[in-house]
Amino acid sequence: MITLTSVIGNALGDIYSFQMESTTPLLHIEGISTVFSTPEGEVKAVDGLNLVLHKGETLALVGESGSGKSVTCLTIMGLLPSTGRVSEGKIWFEGRDILQVSAKDRRRMCGSDMAMVFQEPMTSLNPLFKVGTQIIEFVRYRRGMTQEAARKRAKELLDMVRIPEANDRLNSYPHELSGGMRQRVMIAMALAGNPKLLIADEPTTALDVTVQAQILELLRDLQKELGMAMLFITHDLGVVAEIADRMCVMYAGQEVENGPVIDVFSRPLMPYTAGLIRSVPTLTGSPASERLYTIPGQGPKPGMVLNGCAFAPRCDWVQESCRNQKVAMEVAGNRSFRCLRAKELAAS
Amino acid sequence: MSQGKSILQAQNVSVEFKAQGGRVLKAVTNVNLELHRGEVLGLVGESGSGKTTLGRALIRLADLSNGTVHFDGSDISTLRRNDLRAFRRRVQIVFQDPYGSLNPRMNVGAILEEAITLTDSKEAVDARTVELLDLVGLPTESRSRFPHEFSGGQRQRICIARALAVRPEVIIADEPVAALDVSIQAQIVNLLQDLQRDLKLTMLFIAHDLAVVRHISDRIAVMYLGRIMEVGPANQIVFSPAHPYTQALLSAIPVPDPTVKPNRQILEGELPSPIDPPSGCVFRTRCPLADAACAKQIPLLEARSDGRMVACLKA
């Protein structure tokens, strides 16, 4: 197998991973809102989101269905459907405002500066074409290689994602591969342009747990070797604990808590985060005789206009002021949170 | 959690499907499993392990190619007419997808009425509807609303209410929380646990999430490629797994605690095709302990001195 360093040509990875904090962030999202037009009017899917991602870092975006995490990815990638648009805010990539660049330049950024892996690998691959054809087409389009060079590159990419017998697999159709293998092919395609940022939207959710373990290990290793930053979208707190440096919890389109994974797990500063962590059954956790902790009720419907904190109707810590005033994100050191009672929560 | 004698019993059960080219897909092979009265038995396995097919075979929703299933002493394949109807009332199933299992054109009241009138009189429908909705934690007003007006968790509550309408003794819950968000999943797990205890139900809880299964189950059975690899008390399976597959499955589960660095044993490869399963032990192609003997001999599920049953030549 060819080593990654020879594939990339140099060992930029080492340089990347030690550059956190000091320089301009790789990705800086500033007050982004994304709205969708629906028959009932405009619905805000992402509401004033702020995110900073440094080179080589992994940030997990955590939330339940409808929290806006997938829309955030599509917004960054410039892949919003025609009904969606960014209504406010800025997205900086390496100091450049990418919402202002031309459509052509934006397309060029997709794949080379940033690439995305989706949840369902079967629907992301064209069932009518061989895997090799699809990778080769992509590589040639990106890098203007000859057919022969592109085929060699495609094989290298499959080696990189540890697909055995890569030459044979290039001639396989997507349906001939297992779910895990298909996801490896998608990762290989995402890596084809040497992206600086890999956005992975629930990449292991559709996979079995033993295959998930393989893919997580692969992503971790690739990230280390290539020095990519990763924005990892998941609803699984186990996966967060395993793969991310920092996490951002989203609720109803807003970020509600952001901080290093270790700190957020040990001392959440927002009752929603605390509730999520407590409601996950663990193998070694509370005995079966105990009830699971539950967050009562359910999340707000998209488009619902709320006066106060979006989580107030479900919150154990709610007080009158939570219901009638907008709660802003508060920053304390390397943590930020959206809660009026964070101090009391932390002390509890 | 008082456990009585066996209520549902699978003996040497196999289920096969015809695949393309006249080949045979062995979904379930020679399974022996007992469901004791009053217990929750968790059935875990990855996709393609045959856990759903086994669940369906136990209630005669899948035809057996071999073996027998006994319910309360009688062979369910021989049940006809009234006996079959009675069996169907006593054993109910809750499916994974609450969206696909409710008729979108019927309101909740009508959905429940259909089930209630199987066991109760028309006059009782009203009171029973209120009782069932209350049992699953839905407001009485829900009866006049349609499935699309509810969230996933609420729809699963409706499905559970419908299953309970005929006063079953056994519930087969097939991945009942897999499609739900974490915060909703905990609500439904608690609900099932309360109902099981209060109504003294027997439950087969089929899921791929071992943490959820361990939480709710008294015993756990682990399936791989159509066969049972290990069965035993839930804590024994989780804290001291004997079968190498159970061990690998447990070690693959991400731990929601960043301070724990799991000592992971990553399995090579993926589930082989059930059309052409490996000879001998079906797990041997991915097993760290496998040797030549494992390719020749199919390990039987045998009782161990510590009360569990394991199908492995090496462990």
Side-chain angles (χ1 to χ4, degrees), chain A residues 63-66 178-181 184 206-214 216-217 220 235-239 241-242 261-263 265-266 272 276-277 279-299 301 314, chain B residues 1 45-48 149-154 180-187 189-191 193-194 197 208-212 214-217 238-239 245 248-259 261-262 264 266-271 286:
Chain A
E64 298 182 284
S65 348
S178 64
M181 283 299 154
R184 285 172 196 264
L207 305 175
D208 277 318
V209 62
T210 58
V211 180
Q212 165 171 286
Q214 296 169 357
L216 290 180
E217 188 192 39
R220 236 186 340 245
H235 68 280
D236 186 332
L237 289 170
V239 173
E242 197 140 298
V261 170
I262 289 212
D263 301 343
F265 269 81
S266 67
Y272 176 62
L276 270 188
I277 294 168
S279 56
V280 182
T282 58
L283 283 173
T284 52
S286 65
S289 51
E290 269 175 37
R291 292 169 63 88
L292 289 175
Y293 173 80
T294 63
I295 302 174
Q298 50 205 317
K301 293 210 171 72
R314 304 175 73 187
Chain B
M1 293 190 205
E46 300 181 276
S47 23
E149 298 175 68
F150 295 89
S151 67
Q154 290 171 321
L180 307 175
D181 273 321
V182 178
S183 71
I184 307 299
Q185 171 178 303
Q187 295 175 5
V189 168
N190 281 346
L191 173 67
Q193 215 167 10
D194 291 348
R197 194 176 307 135
H208 67 280
D209 185 335
L210 248 170
V212 173
R214 180 227 152 202
H215 182 82
I216 202 167
S217 307
V238 169
F239 293 116
Y245 175 62
L249 190 63
L250 282 160
S251 93
I253 298 171
V255 183
D257 180 350
T259 58
K261 284 288 159 243
R264 181 147 299 155
I266 291 189
L267 282 182
E268 294 284 317
E270 295 177 36
L271 204 71
R286 302 172 75 191

Side-chain angles (χ1 to χ4, degrees), chain A residues 73-92:
Chain A
C73 299
L74 297 177
T75 306
I76 299 168
M77 289 293 289
L79 293 175
L80 286 174
S82 59
T83 49
R85 66 182 178 86
V86 176
S87 64
E88 57 185 330
K90 285 187 161 56
I91 302 178
W92 310 90

Side-chain angles (χ1 to χ4, degrees), chain A residues 135-320:
Chain A
I135 305 178
I136 290 166
E137 179 196 26
F138 181 76
V139 173
R140 293 192 69 182
Y141 170 74
R142 273 289 152 223
R143 326 205 99 197
M145 288 180 175
T146 62
Q147 176 74 19
E148 214 168 307
R151 193 176 173 87
K152 199 167 151 243
R153 172 72 176 145
K155 195 213 164 248
E156 284 173 5
L157 287 166
L158 291 193
D159 283 338
M160 248 166 94
V161 295
R162 300 175 200 158
I163 292 185
E165 290 139 31
N167 264 325
D168 295 344
R169 289 285 84 81
L170 288 175
N171 290 321
S172 301
Y173 287 94
H175 78 269
E176 297 175 304
L177 302 180
S178 64
M181 283 299 154
R182 277 183 222 134
Q183 196 57 290
R184 285 172 196 264
V185 170
M186 292 313 298
I187 295 169
M189 288 174 79
L191 296 179
N194 300 336
K196 294 166 186 156
L197 168 65
L198 182 68
I199 299 181
D201 187 0
E202 303 260 13
T204 59
T205 305
L207 305 175
D208 277 318
V209 62
T210 58
V211 180
Q212 165 171 286
Q214 296 169 357
I215 298 289
L216 290 180
E217 188 192 39
L218 174 71
L219 285 171
R220 236 186 340 245
D221 292 352
L222 286 171
Q223 185 196 23
K224 213 177 284 167
E225 288 175 76
L226 304 175
M228 295 181 297
M230 207 154 47
L231 184 60
F232 199 103
I233 286 73
T234 181
H235 68 280
D236 186 332
L237 289 170
V239 173
V240 174
E242 197 140 298
I243 202 154
D245 306 312
R246 281 192 307 126
M247 63 195 281
C248 169
V249 182
M250 290 186 75
Y251 189 79
Q254 297 180 320
E255 57 180 322
V256 293
E257 174 146 17
N258 195 327
V261 170
I262 289 212
D263 301 343
V264 174
F265 269 81
S266 67
R267 202 164 51 95
L269 296 175
M270 160 76 196
Y272 176 62
T273 317
L276 270 188
I277 294 168
R278 281 179 66 195
S279 56
V280 182
T282 58
L283 283 173
T284 52
S286 65
S289 51
E290 269 175 37
R291 292 169 63 88
L292 289 175
Y293 173 80
T294 63
I295 302 174
Q298 50 205 317
K301 293 210 171 72
M304 234 161 88
V305 179
L306 299 151
N307 295 320
C309 169
F311 188 61
R314 304 175 73 187
C315 186
D316 290 344
W317 290 76
V318 66
Q319 59 188 19
E320 205 41 45

Side-chain angles (χ1 to χ4, degrees), chain B residues 1-3 36-41 135 160 164 169-171 188-205 216-218:
Chain B
M1 293 190 205
S2 60
Q3 285 160 31
H36 304 306
R37 202 181 282 273
E39 79 168 342
V40 180
L41 174 63
L135 207 55
I160 294 168
L164 295 177
E169 291 155 55
V170 178
I171 296 272
I188 299 295
V189 168
N190 281 346
L191 173 67
L192 284 171
Q193 215 167 10
D194 291 348
L195 292 170
Q196 190 267 335
R197 194 176 307 135
D198 298 346
L199 305 175
K200 300 186 174 56
L201 297 168
T202 305
M203 186 152 69
L204 181 69
F205 190 91
I216 202 167
S217 307
D218 302 309

Side-chain angles (χ1 to χ4, degrees), chain A residues 99-136:
Chain A
L99 296 178
Q100 300 304 322
V101 304
S102 70
K104 195 178 159 202
D105 284 352
R106 191 77 196 274
R107 264 202 309 279
R108 194 168 294 147
M109 293 185 76
C110 276
S112 54
D113 283 331
M114 51 178 83
M116 186 159 171
V117 176
F118 296 87
Q119 174 172 352
E120 219 333 298
M122 194 59 204
T123 51
S124 315
L125 287 165
N126 188 329
L128 297 178
F129 291 96
K130 289 176 182 167
V131 165
T133 313
Q134 299 186 52
I135 305 178
I136 290 166

